[in-house]
């Protein structure tokens, strides 16, 4: 796989990881079932919806997706403490939008546990994920929080 394809596959894995973590939080889906569902029905699969005209989910680097989802699940308390410590006074994780929280968790996991991913790359990737869900102001928020986490994590 060339570098561009790998980069795109990791970007797709990050977006899928945020979606999986959101599903886990909202539905309480067990980790093994969640991973299996994404492997079987989402990652690189055709979208079975007439509105999407047989579109396909982007190919994702499945081991990377698995690592991010499993890592966030296993280290949630540590990750949440790292994120909470960077929030403005009076803010808590409970006040964050649920999707925003998953973006910050996944990004923080990469900054803490994936030394093979440069901090600037991880931050930029999750800013781009945020742009898929939010406006530029929220994307800047992600940038600020993850940059602050990176300064203490690396």
């Amino acid at each position: 796989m060339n570098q561009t394809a790998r980069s795109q596959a990791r970007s797709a894995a990050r977006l899928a990881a945020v979606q999986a973590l959101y599903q886990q939080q909202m539905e309480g889906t067990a980790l093994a079932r969640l991973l299996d569902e994404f492997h079987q029905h989402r990652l690189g699969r055709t979208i079975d919806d007439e509105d999407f005209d047989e579109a396909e989910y982007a190919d994702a680097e499945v081991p990377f997706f698995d690592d991010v989802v499993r890592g966030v699940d296993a280290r949630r308390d540590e990750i949440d403490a790292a994120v909470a410590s960077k929030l403005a006074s009076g803010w808590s994780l409970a006040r964050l939008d649920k999707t925003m929280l998953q973006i910050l968790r996944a990004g923080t996991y990469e900054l803490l546990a994936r030394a093979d991913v440069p901090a600037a790359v991880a931050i930029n990737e999750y800013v781009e994920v945020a742009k898929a869900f939010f406006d530029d102001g929220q994307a800047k928020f992600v940038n600020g929080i993850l940059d602050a986490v990176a300064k203490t994590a690396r």
Side-chain angles (χ1 to χ4, degrees):
M1 178 182 295
N2 68 38
Q3 194 63 29
T4 301
R6 182 171 189 226
S7 177
Q8 291 173 343
R10 282 200 168 182
S11 294
R14 287 178 175 103
L15 178 60
V18 168
Q19 293 169 326
L21 292 166
Y22 177 85
Q23 179 177 327
Q24 184 184 42
Q25 179 166 353
M26 298 308 290
E27 297 177 3
T29 309
L31 184 61
R33 181 171 168 234
L34 181 72
L35 292 172
D36 183 59
E37 179 181 322
F38 271 75
H39 294 173
Q40 299 298 319
H41 303 291
R42 299 210 185 165
L43 302 176
R45 302 291 184 239
T46 299
I47 299 172
D48 188 22
D49 187 320
E50 60 195 41
D51 293 336
F52 289 99
D53 195 31
E54 295 299 312
E56 292 185 4
Y57 288 101
D59 282 332
E61 186 177 321
V62 176
F64 191 82
F65 164 83
D66 288 353
D67 180 64
V68 172
V69 175
R70 283 189 173 116
V72 169
D73 186 68
R75 297 175 68 173
R76 189 174 318 271
D77 290 343
E78 175 189 5
I79 290 165
D80 284 357
V83 171
S85 74
K86 305 306 179 197
L87 295 174
S89 178
W91 275 82
S92 67
L93 297 179
R95 283 188 67 187
L96 295 176
D97 175 90
K98 301 295 187 238
T99 303
M100 176 63 69
L101 179 57
Q102 304 321 314
I103 293 168
L104 294 173
R105 282 175 170 162
T108 298
Y109 170 75
E110 279 198 50
L111 293 168
L112 293 173
R114 296 294 307 230
D116 61 313
V117 177
V121 170
I123 293 167
N124 186 59
E125 286 286 323
Y126 287 101
V127 166
E128 291 303 314
V129 170
K131 288 178 182 178
F133 297 100
F134 303 105
D135 63 25
D136 284 345
Q138 297 289 56
K140 289 177 183 174
F141 175 76
V142 169
N143 186 71
I145 296 294
L146 293 181
D147 184 59
V149 168
K151 287 177 177 159
T152 57
R154 298 217 173 162

